[in-house]
Amino acid sequence: MTRKTRNASQLQEEVSRRIHRIHEIVEDGVKIRVPRPQKQPPDTTGCNWTMKHFGNAVGYERFVDDVLTAVRAEYHLSDTDDVKDVRSLFGE
């Protein structure tokens, strides 16, 4: 399967969206903090990013791992940073 490329914000949002749609998490009213993806050399699956240190995820690790595995199989992290350079706003 060919992976689609997304920037860090898009990947963070996608992982968060999927986690917060899980029935048990919705039912418990838990808000899990999703970290920014971190670039890494491609692993054995070919994925070039990972996420670590999810906040407020104790007891929900299995759900987080399942979502992370699925999203990592679908997406690559783009090489360009999605943070705009503030200097460009001032023509520098």
Side-chain angles (χ1 to χ4, degrees), residues 20-83:
H20 292 102
R21 287 179 42 193
I22 296 171
H23 176 75
E24 290 83 353
I25 292 173
V26 171
E27 192 172 83
D28 292 345
V30 177
K31 178 69 175 161
I32 294 174
R33 187 189 62 75
V34 177
R36 301 271 297 170
Q38 300 298 309
K39 190 92 169 165
Q40 67 177 18
D43 61 16
T44 57
T45 69
C47 185
N48 70 345
W49 63 277
T50 192
M51 287 181 170
K52 297 179 182 175
H53 311 297
F54 286 78
N56 202 32
V58 174
Y60 301 97
E61 294 91 350
R62 180 176 55 91
F63 299 115
V64 170
D65 288 343
D66 290 348
V67 167
L68 191 55
T69 298
V71 176
R72 290 182 78 235
E74 294 177 39
Y75 297 102
H76 272 303
L77 177 59
S78 67
D79 290 328
T80 58
D81 192 9
D82 57 331
V83 176

